Amino acid sequence: MKNFKHNITLLFLILISTYGIAQQRKANKDTEAWRYEIEAVQTGTQGTYLIKVWSYSKKPEVAIEQSKKNAVHGIIFKGFPGKAGVPGQNPLTNNSNLEEEKADFFKSFFSDGGKYMKFVTLSNDGAVAAEDRMKIGKEYKIGVIVSVNVTELRKELENSGIIRSLTSGF
């Protein structure tokens, strides 16, 4: 009887860990498509942007977690338009091929728990307002407000040789 309980417990733990790995793969698949939208929310403290990121996924919790990656990706590659009282921002790079050219760097940078995490925080602990949670077909579109430390992000990318310094004269 003791072995039976042990085996059931072990089987249960294996199933839980397998489910967790499958969920993370699904989240990474959602992120690799880089399907998101960014909008200005308000002016953040100096050196930060306060933005709303709309992410898509079949699971709302996946969209919320992936919004951090999407926010940093958007600041680097897309920028965002302004709205009344809040200026828009250009992306940190104008090189449309940068992500492919520096694929090894960005794969590591955007990996789970990667360096991108140092530059982004969820506001309101990731709480999502009812109007920011929409069901579209079989997936959710979730809007999350995040703060991105653009000053530190720029320094990291410059020090890693990914983007040019603003003082490089180019």
Side-chain angles (χ1 to χ4, degrees):
M1 188 69 178
K2 190 174 183 180
N3 275 343
F4 178 74
K5 286 182 181 179
H6 181 334
N7 288 343
I8 293 295
T9 304
L10 185 60
L11 179 62
F12 181 70
L13 291 173
I14 289 171
L15 288 173
I16 289 174
S17 64
T18 303
Y19 178 77
I21 291 169
Q23 289 302 101
Q24 191 57 50
R25 284 186 184 140
K26 188 178 287 189
N28 287 338
K29 183 179 176 189
D30 288 343
T31 300
E32 287 171 8
W34 296 119
R35 291 179 43 229
Y36 60 87
E37 301 159 26
I38 296 179
E39 62 184 63
V41 173
Q42 68 185 41
T43 305
T45 59
Q46 186 163 352
T48 67
Y49 297 159
L50 193 61
I51 56 177
K52 182 179 285 186
V53 180
W54 294 91
S55 300
Y56 299 84
S57 181
K58 290 183 179 180
K59 297 197 175 277
E61 38 309 325
V62 170
I64 292 167
E65 186 59 31
Q66 297 303 80
S67 66
K68 293 184 274 187
K69 284 184 186 181
N70 291 340
V72 174
H73 187 272
I75 297 299
I76 296 170
F77 297 104
K78 289 186 176 182
F80 56 91
K83 66 177 195 177
V86 183
Q89 298 295 327
N90 291 324
L92 295 180
T93 181
N94 291 323
N95 181 351
S96 59
N97 297 321
L98 183 65
E99 195 168 6
E100 291 81 32
E101 291 170 7
K102 305 288 186 177
D104 290 340
F105 172 84
F106 286 113
K107 183 175 182 177
S108 171
F109 186 80
F110 285 114
S111 67
D112 297 330
K115 280 191 175 182
Y116 78 93
M117 295 284 293
K118 293 184 344 185
F119 311 105
V120 64
T121 54
L122 296 175
S123 68
N124 300 333
D125 294 323
V128 178
E131 65 270 13
D132 291 338
R133 180 184 302 255
M134 295 175 234
K135 179 91 168 157
I136 300 174
K138 293 183 178 182
E139 65 183 0
Y140 289 89
K141 178 180 178 182
I142 305 289
V144 179
I145 298 174
V146 298
S147 175
V148 179
N149 186 330
V150 181
T151 301
E152 292 301 315
L153 176 59
R154 174 178 284 287
K155 281 183 195 174
E156 175 71 26
L157 296 174
E158 287 174 358
N159 292 340
S160 298
I162 303 302
I163 63 173
R164 289 191 196 117
S165 165
L166 291 175
T167 60
S168 68
F170 289 92

mmCIF file of all heavy atoms in Angstrom, residues 5 41 46-47 69 78-79 113 125 150 152 159-160:
data_model
loop_
_atom_site.group_PDB
_atom_site.id
_atom_site.type_symbol
_atom_site.label_atom_id
_atom_site.label_comp_id
_atom_site.label_asym_id
_atom_site.label_seq_id
_atom_site.Cartn_x
_atom_site.Cartn_y
_atom_site.Cartn_z
ATOM 1 N N LYS A 5 0.824 4.433 -2.828
ATOM 2 C CA LYS A 5 0.684 5.867 -2.537
ATOM 3 C C LYS A 5 1.876 6.644 -3.078
ATOM 4 O O LYS A 5 1.726 7.729 -3.622
ATOM 5 C CB LYS A 5 0.560 6.100 -1.027
ATOM 6 C CG LYS A 5 -0.765 5.722 -0.466
ATOM 7 C CD LYS A 5 -0.828 6.030 1.017
ATOM 8 C CE LYS A 5 -2.156 5.618 1.606
ATOM 9 N NZ LYS A 5 -2.211 5.896 3.047
ATOM 10 N N VAL A 41 -0.059 55.595 -21.957
ATOM 11 C CA VAL A 41 -1.013 55.741 -20.858
ATOM 12 C C VAL A 41 -0.833 57.111 -20.218
ATOM 13 O O VAL A 41 -1.745 57.911 -20.166
ATOM 14 C CB VAL A 41 -0.835 54.632 -19.798
ATOM 15 C CG1 VAL A 41 -1.702 54.887 -18.576
ATOM 16 C CG2 VAL A 41 -1.153 53.275 -20.401
ATOM 17 N N GLN A 46 10.956 60.092 -14.900
ATOM 18 C CA GLN A 46 12.011 60.316 -15.883
ATOM 19 C C GLN A 46 12.739 59.011 -16.200
ATOM 20 O O GLN A 46 13.158 58.283 -15.315
ATOM 21 C CB GLN A 46 13.002 61.349 -15.379
ATOM 22 C CG GLN A 46 14.020 61.712 -16.444
ATOM 23 C CD GLN A 46 14.732 62.999 -16.130
ATOM 24 O OE1 GLN A 46 14.379 63.704 -15.203
ATOM 25 N NE2 GLN A 46 15.730 63.297 -16.921
ATOM 26 N N GLY A 47 12.861 58.725 -17.489
ATOM 27 C CA GLY A 47 13.566 57.536 -17.951
ATOM 28 C C GLY A 47 12.679 56.314 -18.090
ATOM 29 O O GLY A 47 13.157 55.249 -18.455
ATOM 30 N N LYS A 69 7.272 40.836 -21.846
ATOM 31 C CA LYS A 69 8.152 40.646 -23.007
ATOM 32 C C LYS A 69 7.693 41.542 -24.155
ATOM 33 O O LYS A 69 8.508 42.192 -24.812
ATOM 34 C CB LYS A 69 8.124 39.185 -23.485
ATOM 35 C CG LYS A 69 8.897 38.234 -22.643
ATOM 36 C CD LYS A 69 8.872 36.842 -23.256
ATOM 37 C CE LYS A 69 9.534 35.851 -22.326
ATOM 38 N NZ LYS A 69 9.558 34.491 -22.884
ATOM 39 N N LYS A 78 9.228 48.799 -32.105
ATOM 40 C CA LYS A 78 8.042 49.424 -32.694
ATOM 41 C C LYS A 78 7.807 50.871 -32.281
ATOM 42 O O LYS A 78 7.329 51.658 -33.084
ATOM 43 C CB LYS A 78 6.790 48.628 -32.326
ATOM 44 C CG LYS A 78 6.682 47.286 -33.004
ATOM 45 C CD LYS A 78 5.338 46.660 -32.690
ATOM 46 C CE LYS A 78 5.142 45.348 -33.416
ATOM 47 N NZ LYS A 78 3.816 44.771 -33.147
ATOM 48 N N GLY A 79 8.066 51.192 -31.027
ATOM 49 C CA GLY A 79 7.666 52.493 -30.516
ATOM 50 C C GLY A 79 6.163 52.502 -30.342
ATOM 51 O O GLY A 79 5.504 51.468 -30.443
ATOM 52 N N GLY A 113 12.690 34.462 -17.789
ATOM 53 C CA GLY A 113 13.573 34.976 -16.743
ATOM 54 C C GLY A 113 14.782 35.702 -17.306
ATOM 55 O O GLY A 113 15.732 35.981 -16.584
ATOM 56 N N ASP A 125 0.193 45.314 -9.880
ATOM 57 C CA ASP A 125 0.495 43.887 -9.707
ATOM 58 C C ASP A 125 -0.141 43.016 -10.779
ATOM 59 O O ASP A 125 -0.505 41.871 -10.526
ATOM 60 C CB ASP A 125 0.070 43.408 -8.314
ATOM 61 C CG ASP A 125 0.879 44.059 -7.214
ATOM 62 O OD1 ASP A 125 2.088 44.270 -7.435
ATOM 63 O OD2 ASP A 125 0.315 44.358 -6.154
ATOM 64 N N VAL A 150 13.304 52.740 -19.796
ATOM 65 C CA VAL A 150 13.920 52.880 -21.118
ATOM 66 C C VAL A 150 15.377 53.321 -21.005
ATOM 67 O O VAL A 150 16.220 52.883 -21.792
ATOM 68 C CB VAL A 150 13.111 53.863 -21.984
ATOM 69 C CG1 VAL A 150 13.717 54.001 -23.360
ATOM 70 C CG2 VAL A 150 11.676 53.400 -22.084
ATOM 71 N N GLU A 152 17.630 52.536 -18.702
ATOM 72 C CA GLU A 152 18.465 51.363 -18.398
ATOM 73 C C GLU A 152 18.452 50.353 -19.546
ATOM 74 O O GLU A 152 19.464 49.715 -19.826
ATOM 75 C CB GLU A 152 18.026 50.709 -17.093
ATOM 76 C CG GLU A 152 18.294 51.567 -15.865
ATOM 77 C CD GLU A 152 19.774 51.922 -15.702
ATOM 78 O OE1 GLU A 152 20.637 51.037 -15.848
ATOM 79 O OE2 GLU A 152 20.067 53.108 -15.441
ATOM 80 N N ASN A 159 25.639 48.897 -24.328
ATOM 81 C CA ASN A 159 26.808 48.208 -23.767
ATOM 82 C C ASN A 159 27.018 46.829 -24.375
ATOM 83 O O ASN A 159 28.143 46.330 -24.423
ATOM 84 C CB ASN A 159 26.683 48.087 -22.240
ATOM 85 C CG ASN A 159 26.790 49.431 -21.553
ATOM 86 O OD1 ASN A 159 27.304 50.392 -22.108
ATOM 87 N ND2 ASN A 159 26.263 49.508 -20.340
ATOM 88 N N SER A 160 25.933 46.223 -24.854
ATOM 89 C CA SER A 160 26.028 44.907 -25.497
ATOM 90 C C SER A 160 26.332 45.020 -26.983
ATOM 91 O O SER A 160 26.435 43.998 -27.673
ATOM 92 C CB SER A 160 24.718 44.135 -25.294
ATOM 93 O OG SER A 160 24.483 43.913 -23.927
#
